[in-house]
Amino acid sequence: MSVPGAHEPEWWRCAAIYQIYPRSFADGDGDGVGDLAGVLARLPYLAELGIDAIWFNPWYASPQADAGYDVADYRRIDPLFGTLEQAEELIRRAHELGIRIIVDIVPNHTSDQNPWFQAALAAGPGSAERERFWFRPGRGPAGELPPTAWEGFFGGPAWTRVTEPDGTPGDWYLHLFAPEQPDFNWEHPDVRADFEEVLRFWFDRGADGFRVDSAALLVKDAALPVEDPTQQAFTDREEVHAIYRRWREVADSYPGSRVLIGEVWLPDAQRLARYLRPGEMQTVFNFPYLECAWEAPALRTVIDDTLRFHRDAQAPATWVLSNHDVDRVVTRYGREDTSFAIYARHHGRPVDLALGTRRARAAALLTQALPGSVYLYQGEELGLWEVESIPDELRQDPMWERKGRNPADPGRDGCRVPLPWSGATAPFGFSPPDSAAEPWLPQPDSWKEYTVEAQEADSASMLSLYRAALHLRRGLPALRTDTAGLSWLDAQEQVLAFRRGDSFACVVNLSPAAVPLPLPGTPLLASGPLGADGELPADTAVWLAL
Ligand code: NOJ
């Protein structure tokens, strides 16, 4: 199989990677849920957008208790999304268009419908089948208390008690996320061997890399301390790195350059950098950048810290504004508090969408001008906002129930609403014209102004800005390398101004008033109109040729 751009070694160092959340991208079969047929039909759109790779959220066979992050079979495509043949065709067609494919792998946990877990339930306490997971007797006189006091990330205890084959209440099993997502025991050789085979299965089909879900959580302290408020028993244990060293050997045994991208939510740059040591993963997601408030000094600190620790690790930085787990960037930047924390959302607070949009446009140019690779989450290029008005009975994210149906922190459905493609009424071209089924989450009526069709016709739209930026980024030598680095220019406190090499500069004004440009240059692209006198208005960014 031909691999696109195989002549470009380490293509992932500066790639623009588009994240597809398959159930919300495009619906090809008319059941109201996005699928691979929908993606296949829209590949030309992505090629035109100017991206280098697609990362797919899980497409595997799954009961969808956590939107596919509960994988029942890592070698099959969920019928909701299509077939393995379609996935193979998709990889082939994407490669023909010069787009690489990154697959999501979920190694920390599986689905309670995974045959291994079903076998473990049936085999009973003390069985070999249960050793692939974390089954333990409960505490208390009748085992009625969970083995540890650990809380799951979605809220509630991290343990669920099973009913044994003889009908009695029995052992408990560990699940750091929902009860439908039992954690694997990575000490078990079957688990290690099977995941290596899964990697090979997708590499053999042409996958260019993996995004590794919950990458810091896999290895647990087998002593299972009852109290563990700092989560040391299951987060970022040294033993986890041996797994990724092995995976890297597998990846490197394939032609081309295959990438491992870690989803590692650690606040500390030094700990993050350990995932990037030689022979481990090539990149990790930059969550500190995503979480940072829209304030120049804070962003500058995050950018400097990021570049420093990546330089030390000799790894390329990544820049991420949003994904399927976080409030959309337009909404975040339109709130009074523009920072973000994944387990403390602020739905219901006032949002100035016009302001948020202006800032998100500026942020797009800032993000794409930084050295390293960039991720963009589907719909970001359309300027979609967080839908806070989803009726409670339609909410699907398990966080909604498990966190006690909190309207201020209702989970992640609001960033997962199906994309608007065309037309003036829902489903806005998301499903074929004659479909009876409605989109799995309702789209706001006002999205008629945000469709791809409407934005293609408007040179001032968010889509036009993203297209222009991505194409320029591809063509500008200063932005096609991460080695040129970045040098800050003197500017006011609320202005970010930096050069990339000798011929390119980016200036972003985060202050509420227009500012003079700190250096002369020819504007290549701006996130909004520049002042008549060449001043940079509030919340506006410009790329300059020097
Ligand atoms: C991180 C994923 O991004 C999120 O969507 C998922 O719920 C958890 N990991 C558990 O797999």
Side-chain angles (χ1 to χ4, degrees):
M1 167 172 309
S2 81
V3 179
H7 56 280
E8 278 180 49
E10 307 198 326
W11 56 272
W12 34 266
R13 292 194 88 93
C14 300
I17 301 171
Y18 187 91
Q19 180 190 350
I20 288 193
Y21 193 69
R23 60 173 49 227
S24 301
F25 185 72
D27 169 20
D29 66 5
D31 65 355
V33 180
D35 49 36
L36 300 191
V39 180
L40 270 165
R42 303 287 184 184
L43 276 181
Y45 166 78
L46 295 174
E48 207 180 321
L49 186 57
I51 52 139
D52 302 301
I54 300 171
W55 150 36
F56 279 92
N57 286 105
W59 53 18
Y60 310 108
S62 161
Q64 307 289 330
D66 180 23
Y69 281 98
D70 48 322
V71 182
D73 185 340
Y74 295 80
R75 296 168 180 81
R76 273 200 309 127
I77 300 292
D78 197 285
L80 192 62
F81 300 137
T83 63
L84 184 58
E85 290 68 39
Q86 278 176 313
E88 290 169 343
E89 188 188 347
L90 216 164
I91 295 172
R92 208 170 39 246
R93 297 246 310 258
H95 283 176
E96 283 162 14
L97 293 168
I99 296 173
R100 299 173 192 257
I101 298 291
I102 294 161
V103 181
D104 212 315
I105 190 154
V106 189
N108 178 66
H109 44 270
T110 181
S111 158
D112 58 357
Q113 299 308 309
N114 182 322
W116 277 4
F117 190 74
Q118 287 295 315
L121 289 180
S127 61
E129 286 84 347
R130 287 202 176 178
E131 285 170 14
R132 295 181 182 129
F133 301 91
W134 290 97
F135 279 88
R136 288 289 185 279
R139 289 172 296 142
E144 72 282 9
L145 292 172
T148 73
W150 305 357
E151 261 220 19
F153 289 106
F154 292 163
W159 296 87
T160 290
R161 194 171 196 186
V162 303
T163 303
E164 299 298 359
D166 65 5
T168 58
D171 282 351
W172 298 68
Y173 66 91
L174 177 68
H175 52 84
L176 293 180
F177 293 92
E180 297 88 350
Q181 294 167 292
D183 278 44
F184 278 122
N185 171 13
W186 271 86
E187 296 306 313
H188 201 292
D190 287 359
V191 174
R192 291 183 184 237
D194 196 53
F195 270 94
E196 270 187 46
E197 276 182 31
V198 170
L199 295 181
R200 290 184 193 285
F201 182 90
W202 290 103
F203 281 143
D204 286 342
R205 281 162 181 75
D208 298 286
F210 286 93
R211 175 265 190 195
V212 185
D213 186 68
S214 306
L217 303 180
L218 274 51
V219 175
K220 279 84 182 176
D221 175 358
L224 298 179
V226 173
E227 301 291 340
D228 183 24
T230 53
Q231 303 181 339
Q232 279 173 1
F234 58 83
T235 302
D236 190 29
R237 300 186 66 77
E238 183 53 35
E239 300 86 329
V240 82
H241 296 280
I243 298 169
Y244 301 129
R245 283 195 290 274
R246 178 66 200 130
W247 284 19
R248 183 63 185 279
E249 282 172 14
V250 174
D252 287 351
S253 71
Y254 280 81
S257 182
R258 315 282 169 132
V259 68
L260 298 178
I261 304 156
E263 191 231 1
V264 187
W265 284 91
L266 289 174
D268 169 346
Q270 266 181 337
R271 287 167 70 193
L272 262 176
R274 293 190 8 227
Y275 290 78
L276 299 170
R277 288 177 294 194
E280 296 196 29
M281 301 202 201
Q282 291 99 323
T283 66
V284 292
F285 290 115
N286 189 345
F287 293 121
Y289 181 70
L290 182 155
E291 290 170 338
C292 187
W294 181 246
E295 287 162 19
L299 277 166
R300 184 170 166 159
T301 301
V302 170
I303 292 167
D304 280 341
D305 287 353
T306 302
L307 292 177
R308 188 174 333 104
F309 92 74
H310 281 89
R311 196 166 42 240
D312 294 349
Q314 297 185 351
T318 67
W319 308 100
V320 186
L321 283 174
S322 53
N323 67 30
H324 65 293
D325 290 330
V326 307
D327 285 3
R328 282 203 178 268
V329 63
V330 163
T331 300
R332 282 174 8 227
Y333 287 168
R335 292 182 179 138
E336 193 183 341
D337 177 355
T338 51
S339 67
F340 181 75
I342 187 158
Y343 293 118
R345 282 155 217 269
H346 300 306
H347 285 216
R349 295 203 186 158
V351 179
D352 181 339
L353 277 182
L355 178 64
T357 302
R358 206 160 62 236
R359 289 173 169 171
R361 292 174 65 94
L365 292 199
L366 167 64
T367 304
Q368 292 186 41
L370 293 168
S373 59
V374 295
Y375 285 81
L376 72 121
Y377 173 51
Q378 64 178 42
E380 187 181 310
E381 82 279 22
L382 302 178
L384 301 185
W385 64 86
E386 183 76 10
V387 182
E388 297 191 14
S389 58
I390 296 171
D392 291 350
E393 64 279 11
L394 296 182
R395 292 195 179 279
Q396 312 241 347
D397 183 0
M399 282 174 105
W400 164 244
E401 291 290 345
R402 292 192 69 78
K403 291 189 136 241
R405 299 174 144 249
N406 176 359
D409 191 3
R412 303 163 292 180
D413 290 315
C415 66
R416 299 176 174 181
V417 174
L419 293 194
W421 290 93
S422 57
T425 52
F428 301 116
F430 172 70
S431 298
D434 48 355
S435 320
E438 296 189 349
W440 70 280
L441 283 175
Q443 302 155 303
D445 290 342
S446 51
W447 278 11
K448 63 174 179 286
E449 285 156 28
Y450 289 78
T451 62
V452 170
E453 183 183 50
Q455 297 202 36
E456 276 180 334
D458 176 5
S459 61
S461 69
M462 187 72 99
L463 178 58
S464 298
L465 178 72
Y466 265 86
R467 276 189 183 160
L470 287 165
H471 283 274
L472 264 176
R473 186 176 179 275
R474 259 194 180 164
L476 286 169
L479 300 188
R480 279 314 272 182
T481 164
D482 68 321
T483 44
L486 163 162
S487 19
W488 293 107
L489 299 160
D490 281 340
Q492 300 177 19
E493 204 200 4
Q494 280 300 335
V495 174
L496 295 173
F498 57 88
R499 297 167 80 114
R500 300 281 318 277
D502 294 332
S503 56
F504 177 90
C506 173
V507 185
V508 192
N509 177 12
L510 293 91
S511 77
V515 295
L517 286 174
L519 79 173
T522 310
L524 294 166
L525 184 63
S527 66
L530 299 179
D533 43 7
E535 286 202 323
L536 190 61
D539 291 311
T540 303
V542 64
W543 286 0
L544 298 172
L546 305 179

